[in-house]
Amino acid sequence: MDSWHIISDILGTKIIRNGLINAFYGIDQCEINQISSVLIDNGINQKTVYTDLYKILINSIALRILTLFLLMTEFQSWKFPSKKLSKTSNITELIKIDYDNSNNKSIQTLIQSNERMKLKDETEFEKFSKNKIIIAWRSLSLFNSGSYLELRSALKLEEPKYILRNLNGQFRFGTLNAVMGTSGSGKTSLLKVLNGRWKTYLSAESQIYISKYTPTRICYISQEISGHLLPGLTAKQSLIYAAKLKNIAERLYGQSYGKIDYEEIATNLLDELDINHTASTFVEYCSDGERKRLALALELTSLRMPNLICIDEPTSGLDSNSAAIEIRCLQKLVRRHLITLVVSIHQPNTEILKMFDQIYCLARGGVCIYSSTAGKIAENLRRIPEINLPDSCSCTVVTEELMKYSCLSNEDPIVQSLCQLSDLRILNEEIRYEEFEEDIVAVDDGIELNRPRFSLTSFWFLFFRNLMYQKNYLWLETVSYIVLYIYHGYLLRFVFNPKSVHTSGCVSFDEDFNHLSPARLHEQIDLVNNTCYTILMNSFFLLIFLVQSSFALTKEFVYFFNEHRNGKFEFIRSSNCNRLHLTCI
């Protein structure tokens, strides 16, 4: 029992209880020569009941510091010191597009029209960046566990456990790229690395390069689409709220540009992705293919679209026709908006394979065995003497042959030969040395993560969105809790004797210690009931509230995590954006 008293003192629950009881029985209840017996029984000192609140203040500060530390660690908005991270690259070399000055008129036109139009500055930049590299990586190795102290060297570890092993590659502006491979080859892990996650899992030898000409705005769509789409909202409503959250910076800092028509943005995206027929359909009732395209549309609602989007398994669970429609929509977006799309995919059919501009194939052990266009797979395989590929064979046979070696371990001799051939093609044939000097720059910290900064303006959008979520999807749970609260009120009103609340419990030193009448004894019994009424009912009410909050948090946390990662809140990028207020995409 003493241990429970110690725990209650540390957590401060006893102090709260003492304050509650003192409010009922200690404040203006008794005469000068009287004291409440309830205070005596519970060991409450009225002189210290307020000064003891400093313990609650200390606990609150400690809890908030711990919460801040966990959030910083979880979302990586603060990094531990590391040897590699201390070698900061010359990020000031990045050549930024000054939206605040040179493109002021273009942004004004875009916001006023709310159409995905090719503006003059956009067209000029597309011509300039055509075939230029947006992201590249060299000697990229990924361990199966992270380190918060420093980035480890793969050369100094004995038998390191790899997820990805010494990868090289690059993707270019305005291309649709496929990361292929068998299950467990590291496709999803590569996407997370390219999106700035798992930095502490990388080896010290890994090098990431990004384009000098524009800020790299990242986005990641996971395989589990249900974590991106909040149920209870129609497809159009989801896009409208996403547009409001993503364009807060434009709304706050660009009011002179004109009013943003969020409904027009949502309608245009539904048309672009061929899902305008789902505008009035709740997202939970859309088909898998429609939900996957809708999840992508949520990330494109910003007036400043992301230019590097990674999508994990966009065709999983879809039939061949739906998968082809999905990839064809992605191809249209790439061509229209100069977006670099990187998608992981198992084994597409011939029609889908030809839609990709580049194939990056991984084998077991996290090694690359092919990186080029789909039409050069046969030519690449024939350069390995051990592979007996017929002179004339269909693209389907060639793809199946490549996937056969993707299922083998990195220790297989043929896989090792394919890796050497792939590195030779990547380093010599796919890229010129001048491109490293002119177009890209190394960033030792990897791609910058989205760091949203919450705005009170977001609160109203989130509040009304949550009301729709509760009304249309969680109505049964909401009604259940309302019934529970009414039942709790019934207990408060009818189960306990209402006369007991009028019992003061005051002790008269002149009368009560000399004689205890039956009426006084009955009053003491009512006083005990009053104490149970006060403590138990308030505890029960708090329990109901905590249970409801816990269930709501567990249901909504996955949506919050994805929205936080993809920056569906206002934020301001400082040094990397040339005094530019951006909405994180």
Side-chain angles (χ1 to χ4, degrees):
M1 197 66 179
D2 293 337
S3 61
W4 288 108
H5 284 296
I6 295 174
I7 294 175
S8 64
D9 287 336
I10 295 175
L11 296 179
T13 56
K14 183 178 180 181
I15 301 171
I16 299 175
R17 187 207 64 168
N18 291 348
L20 181 64
I21 296 176
N22 181 67
F24 273 85
Y25 306 108
I27 301 178
D28 298 331
Q29 290 289 334
C30 302
E31 302 295 336
I32 298 176
N33 63 337
Q34 294 178 335
I35 186 172
S36 176
S37 60
V38 178
L39 301 182
I40 297 176
D41 294 339
N42 288 275
I44 299 174
N45 187 352
Q46 287 186 284
K47 296 181 180 180
T48 61
V49 71
Y50 295 109
T51 57
D52 286 342
L53 291 176
Y54 77 91
K55 298 180 181 178
I56 304 294
L57 180 60
I58 294 175
N59 288 344
S60 300
I61 294 175
L63 182 61
R64 292 189 179 277
I65 292 175
L66 178 61
T67 304
L68 179 62
F69 176 80
L70 293 176
L71 286 174
M72 285 179 172
T73 304
E74 177 67 21
F75 298 114
Q76 301 183 22
S77 59
W78 175 76
K79 298 184 282 292
F80 290 89
S82 92
K83 293 181 179 179
K84 184 175 181 180
L85 296 182
S86 63
K87 301 176 181 178
T88 56
S89 61
N90 188 9
I91 199 68
T92 57
E93 295 179 3
L94 293 177
I95 302 174
K96 308 298 187 308
I97 299 177
D98 192 353
Y99 292 98
D100 288 337
N101 298 316
S102 61
N103 291 347
N104 199 350
K105 295 182 180 179
S106 299
I107 294 295
Q108 180 178 357
T109 304
L110 177 61
I111 295 179
Q112 289 177 344
S113 64
N114 290 300
E115 297 180 0
R116 302 297 181 180
M117 299 174 61
K118 295 287 185 179
L119 303 178
K120 180 179 179 182
D121 293 330
E122 290 179 287
T123 305
E124 291 177 355
F125 181 72
E126 286 185 12
K127 294 179 180 179
F128 170 76
S129 61
K130 187 176 182 180
N131 295 326
K132 284 184 168 54
I133 296 174
I134 183 174
I135 185 172
W137 57 97
R138 295 291 180 266
S139 303
L140 190 151
S141 295
L142 187 72
F143 300 113
N144 67 345
S145 61
S147 172
Y148 288 103
L149 299 179
E150 62 179 357
L151 299 182
R152 301 154 292 175
S153 173
L155 303 177
K156 298 180 181 179
L157 294 178
E158 295 182 1
E159 299 182 358
K161 296 181 179 179
Y162 289 105
I163 298 178
L164 302 175
R165 189 187 303 267
N166 196 31
L167 295 183
N168 301 298
Q170 55 267 332
F171 295 134
R172 299 178 183 272
F173 279 98
T175 57
L176 179 60
N177 308 276
V179 179
M180 293 173 52
T182 184
S183 298
S185 59
K187 301 187 299 298
T188 302
S189 300
L190 179 59
L191 296 187
K192 291 180 178 180
V193 170
L194 298 182
N195 245 259
R197 305 170 65 190
W198 287 8
K199 294 181 180 180
T200 57
Y201 289 73
L202 291 172
S203 68
E205 292 77 22
S206 301
Q207 291 291 329
I208 305 292
Y209 302 86
I210 61 175
S211 173
K212 289 182 179 180
Y213 303 112
T214 184
T216 302
R217 302 185 295 275
I218 61 177
C219 169
Y220 179 80
I221 301 177
S222 61
Q223 182 177 354
E224 187 55 46
I225 297 300
S226 59
H228 293 268
L229 304 175
L230 189 68
L233 281 74
T234 64
K236 189 173 183 178
Q237 289 171 343
S238 299
L239 293 178
I240 290 175
Y241 279 110
K244 290 180 178 180
L245 291 170
K246 280 184 170 289
N247 293 303
I248 287 179
E250 305 292 353
R251 182 174 180 269
L252 295 179
Y253 307 115
Q255 292 183 358
S256 61
Y257 298 148
K259 184 178 179 181
I260 303 175
D261 191 343
Y262 303 111
E263 185 172 352
E264 184 72 18
I265 294 176
T267 302
N268 290 338
L269 282 171
L270 291 173
D271 291 336
E272 282 191 41
L273 295 172
D274 296 331
I275 51 175
N276 50 0
H277 58 281
T278 65
S280 301
T281 306
F282 288 113
V283 295
E284 60 267 28
Y285 299 134
C286 295
S287 66
D288 289 343
E290 293 167 348
R291 286 165 58 84
K292 290 178 183 295
R293 277 176 276 169
L294 183 59
L296 175 60
L298 293 177
E299 310 306 330
L300 301 177
T301 53
S302 174
L303 295 178
R304 307 178 193 273
M305 285 186 175
N307 50 19
L308 178 60
I309 303 178
C310 296
I311 309 178
D312 190 16
E313 299 287 353
T315 60
S316 63
L318 303 181
D319 58 83
S320 57
N321 183 57
S322 299
I325 295 175
E326 181 81 13
I327 301 301
R328 192 174 295 111
C329 288
L330 298 182
Q331 190 181 45
K332 291 180 181 178
L333 285 173
V334 165
R335 301 292 184 262
R336 186 174 301 173
H337 302 297
L338 197 71
I339 295 172
T340 302
L341 269 174
V342 185
V343 303
S344 63
I345 192 168
H346 277 289
Q347 187 173 356
N349 57 37
T350 303
E351 179 185 359
I352 294 178
L353 191 67
K354 292 181 178 179
M355 296 182 189
F356 292 103
D357 299 301
Q358 182 177 349
I359 308 297
Y360 194 84
C361 187
L362 299 175
R364 289 190 182 275
V367 294
C368 177
I369 59 175
Y370 181 74
S371 176
S372 189
T373 60
K376 296 183 179 180
I377 297 179
E379 174 187 345
N380 189 79
L381 293 178
R382 290 192 180 98
R383 297 174 66 177
I384 306 298
E386 293 82 1
I387 300 178
N388 297 320
L389 194 66
D391 294 335
S392 60
C393 55
S394 63
C395 184
T396 302
V397 175
V398 173
T399 305
E400 291 177 352
E401 187 74 12
L402 179 64
M403 294 303 298
K404 180 179 72 174
Y405 295 106
S406 172
C407 298
L408 301 179
S409 170
N410 63 291
E411 298 179 355
D412 185 84
I414 297 181
V415 171
Q416 293 179 356
S417 299
L418 288 172
C419 291
Q420 295 175 2
L421 187 60
S422 173
D423 287 339
L424 181 64
R425 179 186 292 273
I426 292 171
L427 299 176
N428 297 327
E429 299 180 19
E430 291 187 5
I431 191 171
R432 304 185 311 276
Y433 175 78
E434 293 79 10
E435 289 183 283
F436 265 82
E437 298 293 329
E438 299 174 359
D439 300 338
I440 58 179
V441 62
V443 283
D444 290 340
D445 294 352
I447 294 180
E448 183 182 358
L449 290 172
N450 295 331
R451 295 186 176 92
R453 182 177 300 169
F454 185 76
S455 169
L456 288 178
T457 308
S458 303
F459 170 79
W460 295 107
F461 300 146
L462 294 173
F463 174 75
F464 288 111
R465 188 184 70 168
N466 187 264
L467 285 182
M468 301 185 67
Y469 170 59
Q470 296 285 340
K471 172 187 173 183
N472 299 327
Y473 185 71
L474 293 181
W475 64 268
L476 182 60
E477 288 85 346
T478 304
V479 171
S480 301
Y481 282 115
I482 291 176
V483 172
L484 195 58
Y485 284 129
I486 294 176
Y487 176 71
H488 175 70
Y490 172 82
L491 292 179
L492 293 178
R493 175 63 182 85
F494 296 105
V495 173
F496 285 87
N497 185 2
K499 295 182 179 180
S500 65
V501 298
H502 301 295
T503 304
S504 66
C506 296
V507 178
S508 175
F509 292 97
D510 296 333
E511 300 177 2
D512 290 350
F513 285 98
N514 296 326
H515 177 71
L516 188 62
S517 64
R520 186 62 177 168
L521 180 62
H522 185 71
E523 183 181 353
Q524 294 293 327
I525 295 175
D526 286 342
L527 190 61
V528 173
N529 292 333
N530 193 354
T531 306
C532 296
Y533 171 90
T534 304
I535 298 177
L536 295 181
M537 287 298 99
N538 282 279
S539 300
F540 183 62
F541 177 81
L542 180 62
L543 178 63
I544 298 176
F545 178 77
L546 290 177
V547 169
Q548 182 182 11
S549 301
S550 300
F551 277 111
L553 179 63
T554 54
K555 285 179 176 292
E556 297 178 23
F557 187 78
V558 61
Y559 306 109
F560 165 76
F561 182 81
N562 286 324
E563 291 176 354
H564 182 280
R565 180 186 59 209
N566 289 337
K568 200 177 287 186
F569 305 108
E570 176 202 357
F571 92 122
I572 301 175
R573 296 174 101 174
S574 55
S575 61
N576 288 4
C577 291
N578 193 20
R579 303 171 288 102
L580 169 63
H581 296 295
L582 279 177
T583 296
C584 175
I585 304 179

